[in-house]
């Protein structure tokens, strides 16, 4: 493609930034045995979501669609940690769909001044019994799973005064909802 060099450079920069983010996360875990401190700053969640979605742009047979309601205000969050939440949820969705399919991400404001991020997949879905355990550390349905991804996501969202929920995506799949207050 004509834009290969530009896409390659942007992808390389994104990979380097994400590796640095993971390195900081691992460093803090190994030193303190806990999550890094939340460093909130006014952030554009739409840009953060677009950054995360672009990480998966080159995946064959995978489409990520992002729909944003107009006028999402700046939100006081740790954007690096919020990206980690989105990556953990999207990675799980991709694995649930065997690396093929569509993930729909929608972003909107609710009447209670919260940003609502819905991440919907068309995988096999999650049983009610498993939904009750999803955010517990070390619970995983996969042999190769650590059971920490969604537990970490839950902790990050809670540290931001928000909540994370899961429900069925009819006719099949799951929808993870991340609610974050704008203040």
């Amino acid at each position: 493609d004509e834009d290969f060099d530009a896409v390659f450079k942007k992808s390389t920069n994104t990979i380097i930034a994400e590796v640095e983010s993971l390195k900081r996360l691992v460093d803090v875990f190994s030193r303190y045995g806990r999550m890094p401190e939340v460093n909130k700053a006014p952030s554009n969640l739409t840009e953060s979501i677009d950054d995360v979605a672009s990480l998966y742009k080159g995946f064959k047979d995978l489409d990520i669609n992002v729909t944003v309601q107009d006028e999402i205000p700046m939100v006081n969050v740790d954007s690096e940690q919020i990206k980690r939440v989105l990556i953990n949820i999207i990675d799980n969705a991709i694995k649930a769909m065997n690396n093929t399919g569509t993930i729909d991400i929608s972003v909107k404001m609710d009447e209670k001044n919260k940003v609502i991020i819905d991440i919907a997949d068309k995988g096999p879905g999650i049983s009610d019994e498993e939904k009750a355990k999803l955010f517990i550390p070390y619970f995983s349905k996969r042999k190769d799973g650590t059971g920490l991804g969604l537990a970490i996501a839950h902790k990050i969202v809670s540290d931001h005064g928000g909540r994370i929920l899961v429900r069925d995506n009819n006719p099949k799949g799951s929808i993870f909802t991340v609610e974050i207050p704008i203040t």
Side-chain angles (χ1 to χ4, degrees):
D1 289 345
E2 292 176 12
D3 64 345
F4 176 80
D5 289 339
V7 171
F8 184 76
K9 184 175 181 177
K10 182 179 180 189
S11 297
T12 302
N13 290 336
T14 302
I15 291 168
I16 290 168
E18 290 304 312
V19 167
E20 287 298 319
S21 171
L22 286 172
K23 182 184 179 306
R24 284 190 296 277
L25 185 67
V26 169
D27 286 347
V28 170
F29 261 126
S30 64
R31 282 185 293 171
Y32 304 112
R34 60 183 171 87
M35 287 295 296
E37 188 176 315
V38 175
N39 295 312
K40 292 183 179 181
S43 301
N44 183 328
L45 278 182
T46 304
E47 284 181 12
S48 295
I49 292 165
D50 286 340
D51 288 348
V52 170
S54 73
L55 293 173
Y56 302 94
K57 187 177 180 183
F59 280 49
K60 186 177 179 182
D61 301 324
L62 178 70
D63 291 315
I64 297 184
N65 303 313
V66 179
T67 306
V68 180
Q69 171 189 344
D70 293 338
E71 301 302 321
I72 300 295
M74 296 293 278
V75 181
N76 201 30
V77 297
D78 184 325
S79 62
E80 190 172 295
Q81 288 193 21
I82 295 300
K83 286 179 184 179
R84 175 67 32 224
V85 169
L86 299 172
I87 289 168
N88 287 350
I89 294 169
I90 292 169
D91 282 349
N92 282 349
I94 291 169
K95 289 174 183 156
M97 297 187 310
N98 295 318
N99 300 321
T100 183
T102 301
I103 296 173
D104 294 311
I105 302 173
S106 67
V107 187
K108 63 184 178 187
M109 289 290 301
D110 75 357
E111 63 281 352
K112 298 176 184 175
N113 279 335
K114 292 181 186 172
V115 176
I116 309 297
I117 305 167
D118 283 331
I119 303 165
D121 68 57
K122 293 179 177 56
I126 303 168
S127 72
D128 290 340
E129 181 182 333
E130 291 167 339
K131 283 178 194 161
K133 299 176 186 177
L134 276 181
F135 304 109
I136 298 172
Y138 306 111
F139 172 77
S140 179
K141 295 185 341 179
R142 296 188 318 267
K143 280 186 204 176
D144 63 341
T146 64
L148 290 175
L150 291 177
I152 289 170
H154 183 268
K155 172 83 169 104
I156 291 170
V157 172
S158 294
D159 287 350
H160 282 81
R163 64 184 186 151
I164 183 169
L165 311 162
V166 64
R167 67 184 188 279
D168 293 334
N169 185 16
N170 291 317
K172 73 178 203 170
S174 300
I175 302 173
F176 281 79
T177 300
V178 176
E179 298 177 358
I180 301 172
I182 59 170
T183 55

Coordinates of all heavy atoms in Angstrom, one line a residue, residues 32-107:
Y32 N 5.7 -3.5 44.5 CA 4.7 -3.3 45.6 C 3.6 -4.3 45.7 O 2.9 -4.3 46.6 CB 4.1 -1.9 45.4 CG 5.1 -0.8 45.3 CD1 5.3 -0.1 44.1 CD2 5.8 -0.4 46.4 CE1 6.2 0.9 44.0 CE2 6.7 0.6 46.3 CZ 6.9 1.3 45.1 OH 7.8 2.3 45.0
G33 N 3.5 -5.2 44.7 CA 2.5 -6.2 44.7 C 1.1 -5.6 44.6 O 0.1 -6.2 45.1
R34 N 1.0 -4.4 44.0 CA -0.3 -3.8 43.8 C -0.3 -3.0 42.5 O 0.7 -2.8 41.9 CB -0.6 -2.9 45.0 CG 0.4 -1.8 45.2 CD 0.0 -1.0 46.5 NE 1.0 0.0 46.8 CZ 1.2 1.2 46.4 NH1 0.3 1.6 45.5 NH2 2.2 2.0 46.8
M35 N -1.5 -2.5 42.2 CA -1.6 -1.7 41.0 C -0.9 -0.3 41.2 O -0.8 0.2 42.3 CB -3.1 -1.4 40.7 CG -3.8 -2.6 40.2 SD -3.3 -3.2 38.6 CE -3.7 -1.8 37.6
P36 N -0.5 0.3 40.1 CA 0.1 1.6 40.1 C -0.9 2.6 40.7 O -2.1 2.4 40.5 CB 0.5 1.9 38.7 CG 0.4 0.7 37.9 CD -0.5 -0.3 38.7
E37 N -0.4 3.7 41.3 CA -1.3 4.7 41.8 C -2.0 5.4 40.6 O -1.4 5.5 39.5 CB -0.4 5.8 42.5 CG -1.2 6.8 43.2 CD -0.3 7.7 44.0 OE1 0.6 7.2 44.7 OE2 -0.5 9.0 43.9
V38 N -3.2 5.8 40.8 CA -4.0 6.4 39.8 C -3.5 7.9 39.6 O -3.5 8.6 40.6 CB -5.5 6.4 40.1 CG1 -6.3 7.2 39.1 CG2 -6.0 5.0 40.2
N39 N -3.1 8.3 38.4 CA -2.7 9.6 38.2 C -3.7 10.3 37.2 O -3.6 10.2 36.0 CB -1.3 9.7 37.6 CG -0.3 9.2 38.5 OD1 -0.2 9.6 39.7 ND2 0.6 8.3 38.1
K40 N -4.8 10.9 37.8 CA -5.8 11.4 37.0 C -5.4 12.8 36.4 O -4.7 13.6 37.0 CB -7.1 11.6 37.8 CG -7.8 10.3 38.3 CD -9.0 10.6 39.0 CE -9.7 9.4 39.5 NZ -11.0 9.7 40.2
A41 N -5.9 13.0 35.2 CA -5.7 14.2 34.5 C -6.8 14.4 33.5 O -7.4 13.4 33.0 CB -4.3 14.3 33.8
P42 N -7.2 15.6 33.1 CA -8.2 15.7 32.1 C -7.8 15.0 30.8 O -6.7 15.2 30.3 CB -8.3 17.3 31.8 CG -7.8 17.8 33.1 CD -6.7 16.9 33.6
S43 N -8.7 14.1 30.3 CA -8.4 13.2 29.2 C -9.5 13.2 28.2 O -10.7 13.2 28.6 CB -8.0 11.8 29.7 OG -7.0 11.9 30.6
N44 N -9.2 13.0 27.0 CA -10.2 12.8 25.9 C -10.3 11.3 25.8 O -9.5 10.6 25.2 CB -9.6 13.4 24.6 CG -10.6 13.3 23.5 OD1 -11.4 12.4 23.4 ND2 -10.6 14.3 22.7
L45 N -11.4 10.7 26.3 CA -11.7 9.3 26.3 C -11.9 8.8 24.8 O -11.5 7.7 24.5 CB -12.9 8.9 27.1 CG -12.7 8.7 28.6 CD1 -14.0 8.3 29.2 CD2 -11.6 7.7 28.8
T46 N -12.4 9.6 24.0 CA -12.6 9.3 22.6 C -11.2 9.0 21.9 O -11.1 8.0 21.2 CB -13.3 10.4 21.8 OG1 -14.6 10.6 22.5 CG2 -13.6 9.9 20.4
E47 N -10.2 9.8 22.2 CA -8.9 9.5 21.7 C -8.3 8.3 22.2 O -7.7 7.5 21.5 CB -8.0 10.7 22.0 CG -8.2 11.9 21.1 CD -7.2 13.1 21.4 OE1 -6.2 12.8 22.2 OE2 -7.5 14.2 20.9
S48 N -8.5 8.0 23.5 CA -8.0 6.8 24.2 C -8.6 5.6 23.5 O -7.9 4.6 23.2 CB -8.3 6.8 25.7 OG -7.6 7.9 26.3
I49 N -9.9 5.6 23.3 CA -10.6 4.5 22.7 C -10.1 4.3 21.2 O -9.9 3.1 20.8 CB -12.1 4.7 22.7 CG1 -12.6 4.6 24.2 CG2 -12.9 3.7 21.9 CD1 -14.0 5.1 24.4
D50 N -9.9 5.3 20.5 CA -9.4 5.2 19.1 C -8.0 4.7 19.1 O -7.7 3.9 18.3 CB -9.5 6.6 18.4 CG -10.9 7.0 18.0 OD1 -11.8 6.2 17.9 OD2 -11.1 8.2 17.8
D51 N -7.2 5.1 20.1 CA -5.8 4.6 20.2 C -5.8 3.1 20.4 O -5.1 2.3 19.8 CB -5.1 5.2 21.4 CG -4.7 6.7 21.1 OD1 -4.8 7.1 19.9 OD2 -4.3 7.3 22.1
V52 N -6.7 2.6 21.3 CA -6.8 1.2 21.6 C -7.3 0.4 20.4 O -6.8 -0.6 20.0 CB -7.7 0.9 22.8 CG1 -8.0 -0.6 23.0 CG2 -7.0 1.4 24.1
A53 N -8.4 0.9 19.7 CA -8.9 0.3 18.6 C -7.9 0.2 17.5 O -7.8 -0.8 16.7 CB -10.2 1.0 18.1
S54 N -7.0 1.2 17.3 CA -6.0 1.1 16.3 C -5.0 0.0 16.5 O -4.3 -0.4 15.6 CB -5.3 2.5 16.1 OG -4.5 2.7 17.2
L55 N -4.8 -0.4 17.8 CA -3.9 -1.5 18.0 C -4.3 -2.8 17.3 O -3.5 -3.7 17.0 CB -3.9 -1.8 19.5 CG -3.3 -0.8 20.5 CD1 -3.5 -1.2 21.9 CD2 -1.8 -0.6 20.2
Y56 N -5.6 -2.9 17.0 CA -6.1 -4.2 16.4 C -6.4 -4.0 14.9 O -7.0 -4.9 14.3 CB -7.4 -4.6 17.1 CG -7.2 -4.8 18.6 CD1 -7.4 -3.8 19.5 CD2 -6.7 -6.0 19.1 CE1 -7.2 -4.0 20.9 CE2 -6.5 -6.2 20.4 CZ -6.7 -5.2 21.3 OH -6.5 -5.4 22.7
K57 N -6.0 -2.9 14.3 CA -6.3 -2.5 12.9 C -5.8 -3.6 12.0 O -6.5 -3.9 11.0 CB -5.7 -1.2 12.6 CG -6.1 -0.7 11.2 CD -5.6 0.7 11.0 CE -6.0 1.2 9.6 NZ -5.4 2.5 9.3
G58 N -4.7 -4.2 12.2 CA -4.1 -5.1 11.3 C -4.5 -6.6 11.4 O -4.1 -7.4 10.7
F59 N -5.4 -6.8 12.4 CA -5.9 -8.2 12.6 C -6.8 -8.6 11.5 O -7.8 -8.0 11.2 CB -6.7 -8.3 13.9 CG -5.8 -8.4 15.2 CD1 -4.8 -7.5 15.4 CD2 -6.1 -9.4 16.1 CE1 -4.1 -7.6 16.6 CE2 -5.4 -9.5 17.3 CZ -4.3 -8.6 17.5
K60 N -6.4 -9.7 10.8 CA -7.2 -10.3 9.7 C -8.5 -10.9 10.3 O -8.5 -11.5 11.4 CB -6.4 -11.4 9.0 CG -7.0 -11.9 7.8 CD -6.2 -12.9 7.1 CE -6.9 -13.4 5.9 NZ -6.1 -14.4 5.2
D61 N -9.6 -10.7 9.6 CA -10.9 -11.2 10.0 C -11.4 -10.7 11.3 O -12.3 -11.3 11.9 CB -10.8 -12.8 10.1 CG -10.4 -13.4 8.8 OD1 -10.8 -12.9 7.7 OD2 -9.7 -14.4 8.8
L62 N -11.0 -9.5 11.7 CA -11.5 -8.8 12.9 C -11.8 -7.4 12.5 O -10.9 -6.7 12.0 CB -10.4 -8.9 14.0 CG -10.9 -8.2 15.3 CD1 -12.0 -9.0 16.0 CD2 -9.7 -8.0 16.2
D63 N -13.0 -7.0 12.9 CA -13.4 -5.6 12.7 C -13.7 -5.0 14.1 O -14.5 -5.6 14.9 CB -14.6 -5.4 11.8 CG -14.3 -5.8 10.4 OD1 -13.2 -5.3 9.9 OD2 -15.1 -6.6 9.7
I64 N -13.3 -3.8 14.3 CA -13.6 -3.1 15.5 C -14.3 -1.8 15.1 O -13.6 -0.9 14.4 CB -12.4 -2.8 16.5 CG1 -11.9 -4.2 17.0 CG2 -12.9 -1.9 17.7 CD1 -10.8 -4.0 18.0
N65 N -15.5 -1.6 15.4 CA -16.3 -0.4 15.1 C -16.5 0.4 16.3 O -16.9 -0.1 17.4 CB -17.7 -0.8 14.5 CG -17.6 -1.7 13.3 OD1 -16.8 -1.5 12.4 ND2 -18.3 -2.8 13.3
V66 N -16.2 1.7 16.2 CA -16.3 2.7 17.3 C -17.4 3.7 16.9 O -17.3 4.3 15.9 CB -15.0 3.3 17.7 CG1 -15.2 4.3 18.8 CG2 -13.9 2.3 18.0
T67 N -18.4 3.8 17.8 CA -19.4 4.8 17.6 C -19.4 5.7 18.8 O -19.6 5.2 19.9 CB -20.8 4.2 17.4 OG1 -20.8 3.2 16.4 CG2 -21.9 5.2 17.2
V68 N -19.3 7.0 18.6 CA -19.3 8.0 19.7 C -20.4 9.0 19.6 O -20.6 9.6 18.5 CB -17.9 8.7 19.7 CG1 -17.8 9.7 20.9 CG2 -16.7 7.7 19.8
Q69 N -21.1 9.1 20.7 CA -22.1 10.2 20.8 C -21.4 11.5 20.7 O -20.3 11.7 21.2 CB -22.9 10.0 22.1 CG -23.8 11.2 22.4 CD -24.4 11.1 23.8 OE1 -24.3 10.0 24.5 NE2 -24.9 12.2 24.3
D70 N -22.1 12.5 20.1 CA -21.5 13.8 20.1 C -21.2 14.4 21.4 O -21.9 14.1 22.4 CB -22.4 14.8 19.3 CG -22.5 14.4 17.8 OD1 -21.6 13.8 17.3 OD2 -23.4 14.8 17.2
E71 N -20.2 15.2 21.5 CA -19.9 16.0 22.8 C -19.6 15.2 24.0 O -20.3 15.3 25.0 CB -21.0 17.0 23.0 CG -21.3 18.0 21.9 CD -20.1 18.8 21.6 OE1 -19.4 19.2 22.5 OE2 -19.9 19.1 20.4
I72 N -18.7 14.3 23.9 CA -18.2 13.6 25.1 C -17.2 14.6 25.7 O -16.2 14.9 25.1 CB -17.5 12.2 24.8 CG1 -18.5 11.3 24.1 CG2 -16.9 11.6 26.0 CD1 -19.7 10.9 24.9
P73 N -17.4 15.0 27.0 CA -16.5 16.0 27.6 C -15.2 15.4 28.0 O -15.0 14.1 28.1 CB -17.3 16.5 28.8 CG -18.1 15.3 29.2 CD -18.5 14.7 27.9
M74 N -14.2 16.2 28.3 CA -13.0 15.7 28.9 C -13.3 15.1 30.2 O -14.2 15.5 30.9 CB -12.0 16.9 29.2 CG -11.6 17.6 27.9 SD -10.5 16.5 26.8 CE -9.0 16.8 27.6
V75 N -12.6 14.0 30.6 CA -12.9 13.2 31.8 C -11.6 13.1 32.6 O -10.5 12.9 32.0 CB -13.4 11.8 31.4 CG1 -13.7 11.0 32.7 CG2 -14.6 11.9 30.5
N76 N -11.7 13.3 33.9 CA -10.6 13.3 34.8 C -10.2 11.8 35.1 O -10.8 11.2 36.1 CB -10.9 14.1 36.1 CG -9.6 14.5 36.7 OD1 -8.6 14.8 36.1 ND2 -9.7 14.6 38.1
V77 N -9.3 11.2 34.3 CA -8.9 9.8 34.5 C -7.5 9.6 34.3 O -6.8 10.5 33.8 CB -9.7 8.9 33.5 CG1 -11.2 8.9 33.8 CG2 -9.4 9.2 32.1
D78 N -7.0 8.5 34.6 CA -5.6 8.0 34.3 C -5.8 7.3 32.9 O -6.2 6.2 32.9 CB -5.1 7.1 35.3 CG -3.6 6.7 35.1 OD1 -3.2 6.5 33.9 OD2 -2.9 6.5 36.1
S79 N -5.5 8.0 31.8 CA -5.8 7.5 30.5 C -5.0 6.2 30.2 O -5.5 5.3 29.5 CB -5.5 8.5 29.4 OG -4.2 8.9 29.4
E80 N -3.8 6.1 30.7 CA -3.0 4.8 30.5 C -3.8 3.6 31.2 O -3.8 2.6 30.6 CB -1.6 5.0 31.1 CG -0.7 3.9 30.8 CD 0.7 4.2 31.2 OE1 1.3 5.2 30.7 OE2 1.2 3.5 32.1
Q81 N -4.3 3.8 32.4 CA -5.0 2.7 33.0 C -6.3 2.4 32.4 O -6.7 1.3 32.2 CB -5.2 3.1 34.5 CG -3.9 3.0 35.3 CD -4.1 3.0 36.8 OE1 -5.2 2.7 37.3 NE2 -3.1 3.4 37.5
I82 N -7.0 3.5 31.9 CA -8.3 3.2 31.2 C -8.0 2.5 29.9 O -8.8 1.5 29.5 CB -9.0 4.5 30.9 CG1 -9.5 5.2 32.2 CG2 -10.2 4.3 30.0 CD1 -10.4 4.3 33.1
K83 N -6.9 2.8 29.2 CA -6.6 2.0 28.0 C -6.3 0.5 28.4 O -6.7 -0.4 27.6 CB -5.3 2.6 27.3 CG -5.5 3.9 26.6 CD -4.2 4.4 26.0 CE -4.4 5.7 25.3 NZ -3.1 6.2 24.7
R84 N -5.7 0.3 29.5 CA -5.4 -1.1 30.0 C -6.8 -1.8 30.2 O -6.9 -3.0 29.8 CB -4.7 -1.0 31.3 CG -4.4 -2.4 32.0 CD -3.5 -3.3 31.2 NE -2.5 -2.7 30.5 CZ -2.1 -3.1 29.2 NH1 -2.7 -4.1 28.6 NH2 -1.2 -2.4 28.6
V85 N -7.8 -1.1 30.7 CA -9.1 -1.7 30.9 C -9.7 -2.2 29.5 O -10.1 -3.3 29.4 CB -10.1 -0.7 31.6 CG1 -11.5 -1.2 31.5 CG2 -9.7 -0.5 33.0
L86 N -9.6 -1.2 28.6 CA -10.2 -1.5 27.2 C -9.4 -2.7 26.6 O -10.1 -3.6 26.0 CB -10.1 -0.3 26.4 CG -10.9 0.9 26.9 CD1 -10.7 2.2 26.1 CD2 -12.4 0.6 26.9
I87 N -8.1 -2.7 26.7 CA -7.3 -3.7 26.1 C -7.7 -5.1 26.7 O -7.8 -6.1 26.0 CB -5.8 -3.4 26.2 CG1 -5.5 -2.3 25.3 CG2 -5.0 -4.7 25.9 CD1 -4.1 -1.7 25.5
N88 N -7.8 -5.1 28.0 CA -8.1 -6.4 28.7 C -9.5 -6.9 28.2 O -9.6 -8.1 27.9 CB -8.1 -6.3 30.2 CG -6.7 -6.1 30.8 OD1 -5.7 -6.3 30.1 ND2 -6.6 -5.8 32.0
I89 N -10.5 -6.1 28.1 CA -11.8 -6.5 27.7 C -11.8 -6.9 26.2 O -12.3 -8.0 25.8 CB -12.8 -5.4 27.9 CG1 -13.0 -5.2 29.4 CG2 -14.2 -5.8 27.3 CD1 -13.8 -3.9 29.8
I90 N -11.1 -6.1 25.3 CA -11.1 -6.4 23.9 C -10.3 -7.7 23.6 O -10.7 -8.6 22.8 CB -10.5 -5.3 23.1 CG1 -11.5 -4.1 23.2 CG2 -10.3 -5.6 21.7 CD1 -11.0 -2.8 22.6
D91 N -9.2 -7.9 24.3 CA -8.4 -9.1 24.2 C -9.3 -10.4 24.5 O -9.3 -11.4 23.8 CB -7.2 -9.1 25.0 CG -6.0 -8.3 24.5 OD1 -6.1 -7.9 23.3 OD2 -5.0 -8.1 25.2
N92 N -10.0 -10.3 25.6 CA -10.9 -11.4 26.0 C -12.0 -11.6 24.9 O -12.3 -12.8 24.6 CB -11.6 -11.1 27.3 CG -10.6 -11.4 28.5 OD1 -9.6 -11.9 28.3 ND2 -11.0 -11.0 29.7
A93 N -12.5 -10.6 24.4 CA -13.6 -10.7 23.3 C -13.0 -11.4 22.1 O -13.6 -12.3 21.5 CB -14.1 -9.3 23.0
I94 N -11.8 -11.0 21.7 CA -11.2 -11.5 20.5 C -10.9 -13.0 20.7 O -11.2 -13.8 19.8 CB -9.8 -10.8 20.2 CG1 -10.1 -9.4 19.7 CG2 -9.0 -11.6 19.1 CD1 -8.9 -8.5 19.6
K95 N -10.4 -13.4 21.9 CA -10.2 -14.8 22.2 C -11.5 -15.6 22.2 O -11.6 -16.7 21.7 CB -9.4 -15.0 23.5 CG -8.0 -14.5 23.4 CD -7.3 -14.6 24.7 CE -5.8 -14.0 24.5 NZ -5.3 -13.5 25.7
A96 N -12.6 -15.0 22.7 CA -13.9 -15.7 22.8 C -14.4 -15.9 21.4 O -15.1 -16.9 21.2 CB -14.9 -14.8 23.6
M97 N -14.1 -15.0 20.4 CA -14.5 -15.2 19.1 C -13.5 -15.9 18.2 O -13.7 -15.9 17.0 CB -14.9 -13.8 18.5 CG -16.0 -13.1 19.2 SD -16.5 -11.5 18.4 CE -14.9 -10.7 18.1
N98 N -12.5 -16.5 18.8 CA -11.5 -17.2 18.0 C -10.8 -16.3 17.0 O -10.6 -16.8 15.8 CB -12.1 -18.5 17.4 CG -12.5 -19.5 18.4 OD1 -11.8 -19.7 19.4 ND2 -13.6 -20.1 18.2
N99 N -10.5 -15.1 17.4 CA -9.8 -14.2 16.5 C -10.5 -13.7 15.3 O -9.8 -13.3 14.3 CB -8.4 -14.7 16.2 CG -7.5 -15.0 17.4 OD1 -7.6 -14.2 18.4 ND2 -6.8 -16.1 17.4
T100 N -11.8 -13.9 15.2 CA -12.5 -13.5 14.0 C -13.9 -13.0 14.4 O -14.5 -13.5 15.3 CB -12.6 -14.7 13.0 OG1 -13.3 -14.2 11.8 CG2 -13.4 -15.8 13.5
G101 N -14.3 -11.9 13.7 CA -15.6 -11.4 14.0 C -15.6 -9.9 14.2 O -14.7 -9.2 13.7
T102 N -16.6 -9.3 14.8 CA -16.8 -7.9 15.0 C -17.0 -7.5 16.4 O -17.7 -8.2 17.2 CB -18.0 -7.4 14.2 OG1 -17.9 -7.8 12.8 CG2 -18.2 -5.9 14.3
I103 N -16.3 -6.5 16.8 CA -16.5 -5.9 18.2 C -17.0 -4.5 18.0 O -16.4 -3.7 17.2 CB -15.2 -5.9 19.0 CG1 -14.7 -7.3 19.2 CG2 -15.3 -5.1 20.3 CD1 -13.3 -7.4 19.8
D104 N -18.1 -4.2 18.6 CA -18.7 -2.9 18.5 C -18.5 -2.1 19.8 O -18.9 -2.6 20.9 CB -20.2 -3.0 18.2 CG -20.5 -3.5 16.8 OD1 -19.8 -3.1 15.9 OD2 -21.3 -4.5 16.7
I105 N -17.9 -1.0 19.7 CA -17.7 -0.1 20.9 C -18.5 1.1 20.7 O -18.4 1.8 19.7 CB -16.2 0.3 21.1 CG1 -15.3 -1.0 21.1 CG2 -16.0 1.2 22.3 CD1 -13.8 -0.7 21.1
S106 N -19.3 1.4 21.7 CA -20.1 2.6 21.7 C -19.8 3.5 22.9 O -19.6 2.9 24.0 CB -21.6 2.3 21.6 OG -22.1 1.7 22.7
V107 N -19.8 4.8 22.8 CA -19.5 5.7 23.8 C -20.6 6.8 23.9 O -20.9 7.3 22.9 CB -18.1 6.4 23.6 CG1 -17.7 7.2 24.8 CG2 -17.1 5.4 23.3

